[in-house]
Amino acid sequence: MASYSPAPTQEENNGGPSSAKSECPDESMKLKKEISLLNGVCLIVGNMIGSGIFVSPKGVLIHSASYGLSLVVWTVGGIFSVFGALCYAELGTTITKSGASYAYILEAFGGFMAFIRLWTSLLIIEPTSQAIIAITFSNYMVQPIFPTCVAPYSANRLLAAGCICLLTFVNCAYVKWGTRVQDFFTYAKVIALIAVIITGLVKMGQGHTQNFDGMFEGSSQDPGHIALALYSALFSYSGWDTLNFVTEEIKNPERNLPLAIAISMPIVTVIYILTNVAYYAILPMNAILDSDAVAVTFADQVFGVMNWTIPLAVALSCFGGLNASILASSRLFFVGSREGHLPDSLCMIHVHRYTPVPALLFNGLMALIYLCVEDVFRLINYYSFSYWFFVGLSILGQLYLRWKQPDRKRPLKLSLFFPIVFCVLSVFLVVVPLYSDTVNSLIGIGIALSGVPVYFLCVYTPANKRPQRLRSLIAKAGVLIQKVCYSVVTEMDKSE
């Protein structure tokens, strides 16, 4: 058994993260560059095509109130996401740290705003999105077993919890295991959606176009409702920043990061729009609004005895999306710990497998806690407000860095048109719901502000002035986690 010693706590090295040397002089104790271009494409596509396309058609229709306007919302959401992804391609090749918007906000605006971003991710954004995907996976798995009644709540949640635990274990084992799972399930979900699209287009070719007659009649004209419809669509498109969470693990990131984004975004946007056209060609509006599993209702209408294939395919899609989310969000907590915003134990990696085991376990625990929340659409609203605020802030940081550091090396440099348009639309998405969905928006703001006292107590205050009991508890927990997870604190790159 390899020997190791407990990593020093923050208090023992003046608050900075500690490091431990590998026994092999040629091996450094940090995450390895194991993600190829294909892996990157599968991560982005796999995380974007999670549960949203199978849940959000209902949310988009509720607020847009017509097929025509809902398709416009899906198209606008795709264009908006392409703009954001292009901006992140520039940010990811300029600031070559993992952590996505957290790393970019840290670089542009400093530790306080970055910590608030990390805090909201920890409390709502990451565990909420993973809980939604796991619950949707469970819904699609159990619905064929209970075709005429509602599945037991406990069975649904236990299956979702088992899915989270299994994928957490896979990603703890080896990075390659996680990327191979991702590749396989991305192929499966794309094939499933292509089958839905082809079926819908064939039906339209046979003359089933009556659902598109007067497709804009009754469209909502309330800006607040349109914004909420866009929220639901953007939940489906969220995930285009996945690869930016693992920038340090990408092979040749200056080439592969922007190329993976350029390949992934058109694929997902076209698939999403055509999938919704297929849904609308087969299902009347009331059938979609009454269904919590739109793809299953679709399969019941057109696939006959083979209708069981779609629930299975959708469950596999959610499984792959959850795997991508777990891989990415664990790196966010890992980087946050490395920057001193979370306990040192979360930036430890396994001494042989080079995986961030403590961060993965912490991420899994938070997702399990959020399985207790029943209203998935309320979770989407909390998630959207916080998520888009900080994504918009990170791209505002792109504009700020262009002004403050004009000579900085930028392997990819976009026209300022893209970040400016994205920032303006982000303001719309954040401000309008304050009037139309005030309660949910205020809850999102409250969650963000709850991190202020935590920042001043646990980050801003010098380690030797923090409460003794708190320091002792963190130190003991760090040693215990290190021993249980067989991990050591990662080394820092010389350039960092």
Side-chain angles (χ1 to χ4, degrees):
M1 178 178 290
S3 62
Y4 66 96
S5 59
T9 63
Q10 288 183 346
E11 292 76 21
E12 294 171 329
N13 63 96
N14 297 323
S18 58
S19 63
K21 294 289 184 184
S22 172
E23 290 180 334
C24 176
D26 297 328
E27 291 279 3
S28 58
M29 291 306 301
K30 57 186 178 182
L31 301 176
K32 306 303 179 186
K33 292 184 179 292
E34 297 187 82
I35 298 176
S36 65
L37 174 61
L38 177 61
N39 296 148
V41 171
C42 289
L43 274 172
I44 297 173
V45 174
N47 201 15
M48 291 181 72
I49 306 178
S51 66
I53 186 62
F54 308 108
V55 176
S56 293
K58 175 178 177 179
V60 173
L61 270 182
I62 288 173
H63 297 295
S64 61
S66 74
Y67 280 167
L69 183 57
S70 68
L71 288 175
V72 171
V73 169
W74 281 104
T75 303
V76 171
I79 295 171
F80 182 78
S81 299
V82 168
F83 275 39
L86 290 174
C87 293
Y88 265 46
E90 177 182 319
L91 283 167
T93 54
T94 304
I95 304 169
T96 55
K97 290 183 179 180
S98 298
S101 59
Y102 167 77
Y104 310 146
I105 293 171
L106 179 66
E107 184 84 8
F109 302 116
F112 175 72
M113 289 305 301
F115 178 83
I116 299 301
R117 162 67 173 99
L118 181 65
W119 181 255
T120 57
S121 295
L122 186 153
L123 282 188
I124 184 169
I125 295 176
E126 303 303 338
T128 292
S129 61
Q130 290 170 28
I132 290 172
I133 298 171
I135 290 168
T136 306
F137 164 81
S138 180
N139 284 339
Y140 277 85
M141 287 296 289
V142 302
Q143 185 166 335
I145 302 173
F146 300 93
T148 59
C149 61
V150 178
Y153 176 86
S154 57
N156 189 304
R157 289 305 191 268
L158 283 173
L159 182 58
C163 177
I164 291 171
C165 292
L166 175 61
L167 288 174
T168 299
F169 166 77
V170 167
N171 282 279
C172 284
Y174 292 101
V175 173
K176 277 294 183 185
W177 284 16
T179 56
R180 286 170 183 167
V181 166
Q182 192 58 49
D183 293 350
F184 174 80
F185 284 98
T186 298
Y187 302 148
K189 69 181 68 180
V190 170
I191 291 171
L193 287 175
I194 289 174
V196 169
I197 291 167
I198 291 175
T199 302
L201 294 179
V202 168
K203 289 292 184 181
M204 291 177 66
Q206 295 172 348
H208 293 270
T209 59
Q210 64 275 11
N211 289 346
F212 296 104
D213 294 338
M215 57 191 299
F216 285 94
E217 290 181 4
S219 297
S220 174
Q221 298 180 358
D222 186 332
H225 288 165
I226 294 174
L228 292 175
L230 189 58
Y231 264 20
S232 290
L234 288 173
F235 171 73
S236 294
Y237 283 110
S238 64
W240 46 261
D241 58 347
T242 302
L243 203 56
N244 295 73
F245 282 95
V246 295
T247 303
E248 296 170 29
E249 297 173 70
I250 303 172
K251 299 174 182 177
N252 191 7
E254 291 186 357
R255 170 186 178 271
N256 288 340
L257 175 61
L259 189 55
I261 289 172
I263 294 171
S264 303
M265 294 306 299
I267 291 174
V268 175
T269 302
V270 171
I271 285 177
Y272 274 13
I273 293 173
L274 291 180
T275 299
N276 279 280
V277 170
Y279 287 156
Y280 298 164
I282 303 299
L283 302 174
M285 187 179 297
N286 61 342
I288 294 177
L289 296 179
D290 291 340
S291 175
D292 290 326
V294 178
V296 171
T297 305
F298 177 91
D300 291 339
Q301 292 282 337
V302 297
F303 284 177
V305 295
M306 296 298 292
N307 61 353
W308 59 270
T309 58
I310 289 298
L312 176 62
V314 174
L316 296 179
S317 172
C318 295
F319 193 83
L322 182 59
N323 180 73
S325 181
I326 288 173
L327 191 153
S329 58
S330 64
R331 270 53 175 187
L332 172 63
F333 301 138
F334 174 86
V335 173
S337 171
R338 193 180 64 187
E339 298 292 340
H341 287 167
L342 291 175
D344 278 348
S345 54
L346 294 184
C347 69
M348 294 180 182
I349 59 175
H350 194 277
V351 296
H352 294 314
R353 301 175 187 271
Y354 299 100
T355 55
V357 174
L360 282 160
L361 295 178
F362 174 76
N363 175 80
L365 177 62
M366 292 299 297
L368 292 174
I369 291 172
Y370 271 71
L371 287 179
C372 300
V373 180
E374 295 186 38
D375 190 344
V376 66
F377 287 100
R378 178 168 294 179
L379 287 177
I380 290 174
N381 289 336
Y382 295 161
Y383 163 91
S384 296
F385 180 87
S386 300
Y387 176 82
W388 288 112
F389 173 79
F390 286 106
V391 169
L393 185 64
S394 65
I395 294 181
L396 180 63
Q398 179 183 8
L399 294 172
Y400 177 76
L401 290 174
R402 283 282 195 97
W403 173 55
K404 295 293 289 185
Q405 302 175 7
D407 298 325
R408 182 169 184 165
K409 180 185 176 183
R410 292 177 172 86
L412 174 65
K413 190 172 183 179
L414 298 174
S415 165
L416 290 177
F417 171 79
F418 294 98
I420 289 173
V421 169
F422 191 93
C423 287
V424 171
L425 292 176
S426 296
V427 171
F428 170 78
L429 286 172
V430 170
V431 171
V432 171
L434 287 173
Y435 297 95
S436 61
D437 195 25
T438 305
V439 173
N440 287 336
S441 299
L442 290 176
I443 291 174
I445 293 172
I447 291 171
L449 293 178
S450 69
V452 174
V454 178
Y455 173 80
F456 283 102
L457 176 63
C458 299
V459 179
Y460 182 79
T461 303
N464 58 0
K465 294 184 179 180
R466 298 171 194 165
Q468 178 61 38
R469 289 186 178 181
L470 177 63
R471 287 188 288 161
S472 176
L473 177 64
I474 293 175
K476 290 178 180 178
V479 172
L480 177 62
I481 291 171
Q482 184 173 23
K483 292 179 178 178
V484 170
C485 298
Y486 199 47
S487 302
V488 293
V489 176
T490 184
E491 293 180 9
M492 299 287 287
D493 286 336
K494 293 179 180 179
S495 60
E496 296 182 84

